[in-house]
Amino acid sequence: NSFVTRTNTCGELRSAHVGQKVTLYGWVQYQRQGLFLVLRDFQGLTQVIIPQDEAHSHVKELLSNAPLESVVRVTGTVSPRPLGQQNPKMPTGDIEVKAETAEILNSCKKLPFEIKDFVKKSEALRMQYRYLDLRSPRLQSNLRLRSRLVMRMREYLCNLHGFVDVETPTLFKRTPGGAKEFLVPSREAGKFYSLPQSPQQFKQLLMIGGLDRYFQVARCYRDEGARPDRQPEFTQIDIEMSFVDQAGIQRLIEGLLQHSWPEERGSIMTPFPSMTYEEALAQYGTDKPDTRFGMKIVDISDVLRGSNVHFVQNALSYPHGSIRAICIPQGVRYLTNKHLESLKESAKSQFNQEIMEIICRPDGSLKSLLTKFLGEKEKSELVQALNIQEDDVVLLAAGEHKQVCSALGALRLLSANFLEAAGLALRDPTAFHFLWVVDFPLFLPKAENPTELESAHHPFTAPHPSDASLLYSDPTKVRSQHYDLVLNGNEVGGGSIRIHSAEQQRFVLEKVLKEDSEVLSHLIEALELGAPPHGGIALGLDRLISLIVDAPSIRDVIAFPKSFRGRDLMGNAPDYVTPEELEPYHIQVSWPLEEKEAKKN
């Protein structure tokens, strides 16, 4: 209550305050028949008794007629609630304030929706009136938790470990590779700035500049179009260190999260488990596994290798051919035929992968088109390999290793959703399973042209020391010093040890990625002028907070987010500008024909 004219907040009065005269400010949340109202502020609720005597008729009239969500000031005396009228659900439920004077500071007109968490309203309406949505207890709680977490992170990095908080430029130039960047016109004809997708180059240059340890709560920008749970502007905890290896970065982040973790969410155990990219793909079908539940992918190639089944032998004849399966516990009990068809259709449409199911009957026998062609020994080995129990359902896929694993990984998550919707508790929403994924490939084939390569992380990532020589002979086989931090199946951080040799950086850009190294001439020149070995990481703050508070979307932990299509529905941005405003930037808008006609009308 420092610096303000209230004596207390609406969430702090208790029995110990009885008899005190207080002044409260807040919003009218509820009013009943001119007898009492509930006043709300950022900290909580207080019941205010409206006076009924003639001497306070003005106060009664004022408070009885105040529309909901009006801002009022109330001065009165704290009293105990009458016996039997205490409210144990309210922290202030043992007391009430008997109003003596009051003032309407701002009357509220009819609201577009009620300020209550349980009242359903469309996300578009919430975003249009975001300043009203921010009054809800849930968003208030999320943003305050976010603030506390960031403050604790600053304390850990700057006060305890000597990091320097440095702000890096927002206006820069295009970076080769990675996500698409927003362009900002300049007054020089034909020249544009880019909004950085991360402060990657700047933090490396800070290491070359000798700062040793850098940190920033960084605003980042990516022009990724309409993505369901992405934002065109987002925040990351950006970190870089000199003279560090992968293990050092991992220990730092584990300590950082342990130090800043909200007490009300329990404690987290360190060190976090680690698995290689290849292990993650083979066991979970993804590079961001949700390890809160089992249903791992199992390789059953050896079990079926001796069978005479045509599709099995066909799959195993390929260089990377594989037969794998997942076992869905109690699938017979919780999954319908419609669910099974949906799983098969999903694998077919997303991965062009056929799926065969095997059902374990109550007597332990297996029902499937496949098992007709298997001997008793093979059936027994199959049951053992997958630990099949009564009423389990097995989904089996055969084909190229990566495609099979990716398809089964997606079905693992989809079937978990089906099981939970049917009432089987599988993933504990209060559990936080962190995991390091390491040893990623340094390069991947481009989706649009598989004969060309692109960086799996970014072009500044250093090759694994054991694979450094392969960079020049067979770059497709090179592992990287790239590491991701995964939480409950979501990537919440990613980083790498960087290339600190100008010669190696130039080779990667020009020979492997076929990029014009001139765009990065400033960085390559800096690497030639005494660059220390260095590495870093960035944590996605929005994603991390949304997982901590179990929010359905990252938009619920950002004060003023953009919509699904990247629009600000409150301020109606982006918006049109006049030709006169564009003139200094040497830009003319070429309108699509239908928009030309619309503007005319």
Side-chain angles (χ1 to χ4, degrees), residues 356-359 361 366-373 394:
M356 180 174 285
E357 83 260 25
I358 302 171
I359 291 169
R361 297 187 180 102
L366 302 180
K367 176 189 172 188
S368 171
L369 291 173
L370 172 67
T371 51
K372 293 177 183 177
F373 303 99
V394 171

Side-chain angles (χ1 to χ4, degrees), residues 142 265 292 429-430 432 544-553:
N142 291 353
R265 293 299 187 272
R292 287 176 297 171
T430 65
F432 296 97
L544 178 64
I545 302 290
S546 71
L547 291 169
I548 290 173
V549 302
D550 195 26
S553 163

Side-chain angles (χ1 to χ4, degrees), residues 366-595:
L366 302 180
K367 176 189 172 188
S368 171
L369 291 173
L370 172 67
T371 51
K372 293 177 183 177
F373 303 99
L374 300 181
E376 289 305 315
K377 181 173 178 289
E378 287 163 328
K379 289 179 188 176
S380 174
E381 287 177 354
L382 193 65
V383 168
Q384 195 173 351
L386 290 160
N387 190 25
I388 303 173
Q389 307 288 324
E390 177 188 323
D391 285 342
D392 287 354
V393 172
V394 171
L395 300 180
L396 181 148
E400 191 274 326
H401 169 71
K402 190 170 182 179
Q403 178 181 305
V404 163
C405 291
S406 298
L408 288 174
L411 296 190
R412 174 179 178 267
L413 295 175
L414 187 54
S415 55
N417 291 342
F418 289 153
L419 291 175
E420 288 181 335
L424 181 66
L426 207 59
R427 293 170 289 197
D428 182 355
T430 65
F432 296 97
H433 285 219
F434 283 98
L435 172 74
W436 289 108
V437 179
V438 301
D439 291 356
F440 282 80
L442 187 57
F443 306 108
L444 292 171
K446 286 184 176 178
E448 65 275 13
N449 186 358
T451 60
E452 294 182 5
L453 295 176
E454 62 184 0
S455 297
H457 187 221
H458 56 53
F460 315 113
T461 300
H464 196 287
S466 307
D467 299 351
S469 60
L470 287 171
L471 180 65
Y472 304 96
S473 58
D474 192 352
T476 58
K477 291 183 179 173
V478 180
R479 291 169 299 162
S480 68
Q481 294 190 68
H482 161 201
Y483 31 85
D484 275 356
L485 182 61
V486 176
L487 172 58
N488 295 355
N490 296 269
E491 182 192 333
V492 293
S496 65
I497 302 301
R498 323 299 186 190
I499 295 171
H500 67 279
S501 154
E503 181 189 350
Q504 192 177 75
Q505 185 66 79
R506 193 179 281 111
F507 178 85
V508 166
L509 287 167
E510 294 177 357
K511 304 299 183 187
V512 181
L513 301 176
K514 313 294 188 210
E515 295 276 4
D516 179 8
S517 64
E518 257 324 286
V519 180
L520 293 165
S521 58
H522 56 284
L523 179 63
I524 292 172
E525 184 179 8
L527 293 173
E528 293 173 323
L529 299 173
H534 57 284
I537 193 168
L539 298 177
L541 184 63
D542 308 312
R543 177 84 55 216
L544 178 64
I545 302 290
S546 71
L547 291 169
I548 290 173
V549 302
D550 195 26
S553 163
I554 60 170
R555 289 186 282 275
D556 289 322
V557 299
I558 299 171
F560 296 100
K562 302 291 185 289
S563 73
F564 168 68
R565 300 196 179 279
R567 292 189 59 80
D568 181 334
L569 301 181
M570 182 181 66
N572 197 29
D575 204 357
Y576 297 109
V577 295
T578 64
E580 293 75 28
E581 289 171 296
L582 287 175
E583 196 173 335
Y585 303 107
H586 314 281
I587 291 175
Q588 283 185 313
V589 177
S590 176
W591 296 101
L593 189 60
E594 60 272 17
E595 288 196 37

Side-chain angles (χ1 to χ4, degrees), residues 317-378:
S317 68
Y318 291 111
H320 299 288
S322 177
I323 304 166
R324 293 179 180 254
I326 58 170
C327 182
I328 304 172
Q330 301 294 295
V332 172
R333 190 177 302 175
Y334 290 100
L335 299 182
T336 64
N337 286 335
K338 190 176 178 182
H339 285 139
L340 291 174
E341 287 307 313
S342 175
L343 289 166
K344 289 183 191 177
E345 178 54 39
S346 176
K348 182 69 177 171
S349 60
Q350 288 185 56
F351 302 96
N352 194 27
Q353 179 66 55
E354 296 289 347
I355 298 292
M356 180 174 285
E357 83 260 25
I358 302 171
I359 291 169
C360 184
R361 297 187 180 102
D363 63 1
S365 64
L366 302 180
K367 176 189 172 188
S368 171
L369 291 173
L370 172 67
T371 51
K372 293 177 183 177
F373 303 99
L374 300 181
E376 289 305 315
K377 181 173 178 289
E378 287 163 328

Side-chain angles (χ1 to χ4, degrees), residues 117-134:
D117 282 341
F118 61 82
V119 174
K120 296 283 183 191
K121 52 255 185 196
S122 73
E123 187 160 55
L125 192 64
R126 288 177 57 203
M127 293 181 75
Q128 184 183 349
Y129 294 96
R130 188 62 170 183
Y131 45 87
L132 293 180
D133 202 29
L134 285 171

